[in-house]
Amino acid sequence: MDDGTTGPDLDRLARELETLGTPGRLVRDPAELAPYMRDASRAVPDGAPLALCLATTTAEVSAALAWAHASRVPVSVRGAGTGVSGGALSYDGGLILSLERMDRILEIDAENRLAVVEPGVVTAELDRACRAHGLFFPPDPASARSCTVGGNVATNAGGLRCVAHGVTSDAVAALEVVLADGRVLRTGARTRKNVVGYDLTRLFVGSEGTLGVVTEVTVRLHPVPPGTPRTFRASFDRLEDAGNAVTAIVNGPARPEVLELMDALSVEIIESFRPSGLVVPGGAMLVGQTVGEHAEAHARAIAESCAAHGAVDTEVSDSDALLEARRLSNPALNARGLKLSCDVGVPVAALARMLRGVEEISRRRGVRVSTVAHAGDGNLHSTVELPEGADGSARAEAVLDEVTRLALSLDGTISGEHGIGAVKLHELPWQLDAVSRDVQRAIRSALDPRGILSPGRAV
Amino acid sequence: MDDGTTGPDLDRLARELETLGTPGRLVRDPAELAPYMRDASRAVPDGAPLALCLATTTAEVSAALAWAHASRVPVSVRGAGTGVSGGALSYDGGLILSLERMDRILEIDAENRLAVVEPGVVTAELDRACRAHGLFFPPDPASARSCTVGGNVATNAGGLRCVAHGVTSDAVAALEVVLADGRVLRTGARTRKNVVGYDLTRLFVGSEGTLGVVTEVTVRLHPVPPGTPRTFRASFDRLEDAGNAVTAIVNGPARPEVLELMDALSVEIIESFRPSGLVVPGGAMLVGQTVGEHAEAHARAIAESCAAHGAVDTEVSDSDALLEARRLSNPALNARGLKLSCDVGVPVAALARMLRGVEEISRRRGVRVSTVAHAGDGNLHSTVELPEGADGSARAEAVLDEVTRLALSLDGTISGEHGIGAVKLHELPWQLDAVSRDVQRAIRSALDPRGILSPGRAV
């Protein structure tokens, strides 16, 4: 059963898991481990992990963490591995804790608009199950069809519908969390209001696996709006005009459920990946969706607002094709091998200045940059094409650094929805000063004094 | 300047504040201190505080806390002193830190729907200033005309409009906080999305002065809905029917901005305090408000839903009188000397069961209980009349304890919006288990290792 090279400790964990009598498995075969070592970022893990725990119950997670805590073994935690910040990379000599098999929807409480789920439930599956009750789960990251609710919680994931419904933390009412030493903590409540103790739920959401391992999530659901959604499109010759239109729309009376921006190069990349007849605009294209009884009127009002802000062409439709095009952005970029991108955010009124700035940086540095944005939230993903030559990678990184610093200069953020993980850690001091980092570290040490949870990442 | 009895330490603080050259004052005259020793709870402070710091700048707050930290002096922090949980009571030998003079609105950024304010700004004043920009500040606790934004943040205050717009923490984007040792921390961002480091903003909101002192708040504003609000009323013979109507309304298509419940005794108390022609219902009265273009249609739909759930009489109006009656609940109870009340919450679908249970407890124990509720949030304030006799107080407390335990048995909470403070600390273990309390204490110690901030309160 054991070849003896991984040391006696692992045998103890294996025995403890066996004692529990549940189906969780401890995997030591390197070939079986390999797919669990990386995430969707370009980052490469160091060395070889000791083992993979495919947990199926809270008790198993608790046993695994108690063992890792006692043995001072670093732990990487993962759902579907769709993260793009390297937060789930395995550690040399570390334990990989996978929650993909904790994938049950435990309860849908339609009257209180709550669901209780295990962390390995795929986001789109939860959404689908809720729709049978006339409800939906608002977070919809681009990877919704493969990512898990636990991963959404770990990164406080966003998506297309945030402009209307907020981010993952707005959709989480309560958590069950296994702490670094194996103790089980319950946070939050099923009530809409609760001011008892600190808001630990919000502390764990977005903590990227550094404070504990989430084993159960109570999520808040929203009622499916009545009627048929409408989509809208507006094409602009000038990128900046599109940015100004976004500010007007989010401050106007007709609120969209989705409001996305694709610049000209993005549309070109998506259209050449899977042609759907989209005409590449001179500057940028806004696409979005309205819902509810007045979806049609609201979509038309938004299209008119775009025209008033310089759109050269607008369209309102009941087809989902426009949003599908936007959703193809990631696959299209991936197909070109374009993975060097950022996740900056700015206050929405600064969007036009930000877009103009990105354009200027691209031109000045002679590097092609495509930008898609959750425009209504001021959250931009700019992707650079790797320039040719030995210094191509460094030049591309320099462009993204400059884009990131521009966002910060506009009161922005270095990450709107992807998190810091391993990949962005060097940028953290750009946004958070020494006092803030001290406080983060103090909280982390208080909860994980031995530093076994995702060490060297996130904060 | 000093009579010498308070020891040399205070002189040092006075000199340090003087050195800053700003208008902040250190008050040592017991008569001047007295009004700053209590809050709006029945709780009585122990002993005599050393001094009161009337701070006007962040630097003064920082100097005061650095001094208290070095001197190990307990600090009570206060805005307007409208809290009802004893969170702002002074300490024997302690420093009172008042933020009432930090009362400036620093910025209203209409395009990004943000405002930046000092903590001493009165909540209703902020709301009024925002309305000049077509925006409003959603939290509206009953004390909005006197309480401060800093106090709202400290307790994560609620109010009448939470059912539509959420609680204070939903309206806070960023904070400036002075830590226990005097260091200044900035949390959050002006963006809608931000996943950089832990969500310290949410950690501080509702922390009741135990983790740091908030010196600046960046709040999120909402656009004022178009059109004229409508109010509605529905009277029920059976309390339980009113509860079931609430569940139906919050899950229905016509969403109210306000949805409040007053039981028969509450209406009687309010009407005898200031008669407005309200007819005391057999069981309970629901009152509320709808806003936006379709306010009239939504109010009518809600009234119809009430009728379908057993309302014997309904009314839709464009007058604010119905809500004014509800807002008189606290003054009316205070005028009767009725201050023994709770702040429990239940999932909204459990509201009918909760109301029936309170009725049953009242009858069984022979103690009169009146209940008002932010019904749409499942947040109830039940107030007991002190029974006559030597054991009256104990009997009244026993009723509230039973009501609180009932809420917990329905997956509820011991506090929806008032916080724990000093008054409810004994109830904390009813809701939070040992692991949760350990984690809370670990975080508290990490941020305030000497325990000078509101010691013995909140967690």
Side-chain angles (χ1 to χ4, degrees), chain B residues 23-39:
Chain B
R25 286 179 58 215
L26 193 67
V27 177
R28 311 191 210 185
D29 171 9
E32 215 177 327
L33 285 179
Y36 294 86
M37 291 172 63
R38 299 183 64 155
D39 65 6

Side-chain angles (χ1 to χ4, degrees), chain B residues 275-409:
Chain B
S276 69
L278 277 188
V279 177
V280 176
M285 185 181 284
L286 293 181
V287 297
Q289 179 166 289
T290 53
V291 292
E293 302 173 74
H294 308 284
E296 173 81 19
H298 286 169
R300 297 212 171 276
I302 289 170
E304 278 162 30
S305 178
C306 288
H309 283 84
V312 292
D313 183 31
T314 66
E315 175 188 354
V316 170
S317 154
D318 56 6
S319 138
D320 197 40
L322 294 168
L323 293 188
E324 273 308 306
R326 167 63 185 87
R327 288 202 183 92
L328 286 175
S329 168
N330 282 333
L333 291 166
N334 288 339
R336 288 202 178 194
L338 294 173
K339 287 208 159 190
L340 210 60
S341 67
C342 65
D343 170 41
V344 298
V346 294
V348 73
L351 187 61
R353 263 180 299 166
M354 183 70 203
L355 290 166
R356 190 176 59 207
V358 172
E359 210 170 31
E360 191 274 323
I361 292 166
S362 163
R363 198 165 42 231
R364 176 162 42 75
R365 291 192 175 257
V367 173
R368 296 226 301 173
V369 179
S370 63
T371 297
V372 295
H374 304 306
D377 292 314
N379 182 198
L380 298 91
H381 304 305
S382 292
T383 302
V384 297
E385 288 195 0
L386 213 59
E388 298 201 354
D391 64 345
S393 184
R395 283 174 61 202
E397 293 279 5
V399 167
L400 285 184
D401 283 359
E402 201 177 340
V403 167
T404 302
R405 293 200 187 265
L406 173 63
L408 287 172
S409 77

Side-chain angles (χ1 to χ4, degrees), chain B residues 117-444:
Chain B
V117 304
E118 292 183 335
V121 170
V122 169
T123 305
E125 298 288 334
L126 171 59
D127 189 54
R128 180 155 54 226
C130 295
R131 284 179 190 268
H133 300 265
L135 300 168
F136 72 100
F137 178 59
D140 64 338
S143 54
R145 287 163 206 174
S146 51
C147 68
T148 64
V149 174
N152 301 163
V153 169
T155 58
N156 194 7
L160 270 60
R161 295 190 293 234
C162 294
V163 64
H165 309 295
V167 291
T168 298
S169 67
D170 296 308
V172 177
L175 296 171
E176 180 187 80
V177 181
V178 180
L179 299 172
D181 60 7
R183 287 181 300 163
V184 179
L185 169 72
R186 297 202 71 99
T187 75
R190 294 173 74 117
T191 53
R192 283 176 54 98
K193 295 158 77 179
N194 177 42
V195 290
V196 179
Y198 304 134
D199 189 346
L200 299 181
T201 307
R202 297 277 188 158
L203 183 64
F204 282 100
V205 176
S207 64
E208 303 191 46
T210 64
L211 299 180
V213 176
V214 170
T215 47
E216 189 185 287
V217 189
T218 303
V219 298
R220 297 189 196 283
L221 308 172
H222 288 223
V224 176
T228 312
R230 287 293 185 281
T231 55
F232 57 84
R233 174 186 62 77
S235 295
F236 295 82
D237 279 344
R238 285 162 30 102
L239 198 49
E240 206 179 333
D241 287 346
N244 286 323
V246 169
T247 305
I249 293 165
V250 298
N251 286 310
R255 302 291 297 278
E257 190 186 44
V258 174
L259 180 54
E260 299 283 315
L261 177 146
M262 300 178 276
D263 71 357
L265 183 54
S266 295
V267 177
E268 195 182 307
I269 289 170
I270 293 165
E271 187 63 17
S272 68
F273 175 69
R274 195 170 303 166
S276 69
L278 277 188
V279 177
V280 176
M285 185 181 284
L286 293 181
V287 297
Q289 179 166 289
T290 53
V291 292
E293 302 173 74
H294 308 284
E296 173 81 19
H298 286 169
R300 297 212 171 276
I302 289 170
E304 278 162 30
S305 178
C306 288
H309 283 84
V312 292
D313 183 31
T314 66
E315 175 188 354
V316 170
S317 154
D318 56 6
S319 138
D320 197 40
L322 294 168
L323 293 188
E324 273 308 306
R326 167 63 185 87
R327 288 202 183 92
L328 286 175
S329 168
N330 282 333
L333 291 166
N334 288 339
R336 288 202 178 194
L338 294 173
K339 287 208 159 190
L340 210 60
S341 67
C342 65
D343 170 41
V344 298
V346 294
V348 73
L351 187 61
R353 263 180 299 166
M354 183 70 203
L355 290 166
R356 190 176 59 207
V358 172
E359 210 170 31
E360 191 274 323
I361 292 166
S362 163
R363 198 165 42 231
R364 176 162 42 75
R365 291 192 175 257
V367 173
R368 296 226 301 173
V369 179
S370 63
T371 297
V372 295
H374 304 306
D377 292 314
N379 182 198
L380 298 91
H381 304 305
S382 292
T383 302
V384 297
E385 288 195 0
L386 213 59
E388 298 201 354
D391 64 345
S393 184
R395 283 174 61 202
E397 293 279 5
V399 167
L400 285 184
D401 283 359
E402 201 177 340
V403 167
T404 302
R405 293 200 187 265
L406 173 63
L408 287 172
S409 77
L410 296 170
D411 286 332
T413 174
I414 61 176
S415 183
E417 59 181 15
H418 294 166
I420 299 301
V423 171
K424 292 210 179 80
L425 201 62
H426 69 285
E427 297 176 9
L428 203 68
W430 302 358
Q431 181 167 341
L432 303 183
D433 69 11
V435 174
S436 174
R437 284 176 283 134
D438 264 7
V439 169
Q440 314 258 359
R441 276 191 295 262
I443 291 169
R444 185 174 187 164

Side-chain angles (χ1 to χ4, degrees), chain A residues 295-387:
Chain A
E296 173 80 19
H298 286 169
R300 297 213 171 275
I302 289 170
E304 277 162 30
S305 178
C306 287
H309 283 84
V312 291
D313 185 30
T314 66
E315 175 187 356
V316 169
S317 154
D318 56 6
S319 138
D320 198 39
L322 294 167
L323 294 187
E324 273 309 307
R326 166 65 185 88
R327 288 200 183 94
L328 286 175
S329 167
N330 282 332
L333 290 166
N334 288 340
R336 289 203 177 193
L338 294 172
K339 287 209 158 190
L340 210 61
S341 67
C342 65
D343 171 40
V344 297
V346 293
V348 71
L351 187 62
R353 263 180 299 169
M354 182 69 201
L355 290 166
R356 191 175 57 207
V358 172
E359 210 170 33
E360 191 274 323
I361 292 166
S362 163
R363 197 165 42 229
R364 178 162 41 77
R365 291 192 175 258
V367 173
R368 296 226 302 173
V369 178
S370 63
T371 297
V372 295
H374 305 306
D377 293 314
N379 182 198
L380 297 90
H381 303 306
S382 292
T383 303
V384 297
E385 288 195 359
L386 214 59

Side-chain angles (χ1 to χ4, degrees), chain A residues 192-370:
Chain A
R192 283 176 53 97
K193 294 158 78 178
N194 177 42
V195 290
V196 178
Y198 303 135
D199 189 345
L200 299 181
T201 307
R202 297 278 188 156
L203 184 64
F204 282 100
V205 176
S207 65
E208 302 191 47
T210 64
L211 299 180
V213 176
V214 171
T215 46
E216 189 185 286
V217 189
T218 303
V219 298
R220 298 189 195 284
L221 307 172
H222 288 223
V224 176
T228 312
R230 288 293 184 283
T231 54
F232 58 83
R233 173 186 64 77
S235 294
F236 295 82
D237 279 344
R238 283 160 33 100
L239 198 49
E240 206 179 332
D241 288 345
N244 287 322
V246 168
T247 305
I249 293 165
V250 299
N251 287 309
R255 303 289 298 277
E257 190 186 43
V258 174
L259 180 54
E260 299 283 314
L261 178 146
M262 300 178 276
D263 71 359
L265 183 54
S266 296
V267 176
E268 196 183 306
I269 288 170
I270 293 164
E271 187 63 18
S272 68
F273 174 70
R274 195 171 303 165
S276 69
L278 277 187
V279 177
V280 176
M285 186 182 283
L286 294 181
V287 296
Q289 179 166 289
T290 53
V291 292
E293 302 174 74
H294 308 285
E296 173 80 19
H298 286 169
R300 297 213 171 275
I302 289 170
E304 277 162 30
S305 178
C306 287
H309 283 84
V312 291
D313 185 30
T314 66
E315 175 187 356
V316 169
S317 154
D318 56 6
S319 138
D320 198 39
L322 294 167
L323 294 187
E324 273 309 307
R326 166 65 185 88
R327 288 200 183 94
L328 286 175
S329 167
N330 282 332
L333 290 166
N334 288 340
R336 289 203 177 193
L338 294 172
K339 287 209 158 190
L340 210 61
S341 67
C342 65
D343 171 40
V344 297
V346 293
V348 71
L351 187 62
R353 263 180 299 169
M354 182 69 201
L355 290 166
R356 191 175 57 207
V358 172
E359 210 170 33
E360 191 274 323
I361 292 166
S362 163
R363 197 165 42 229
R364 178 162 41 77
R365 291 192 175 258
V367 173
R368 296 226 302 173
V369 178
S370 63

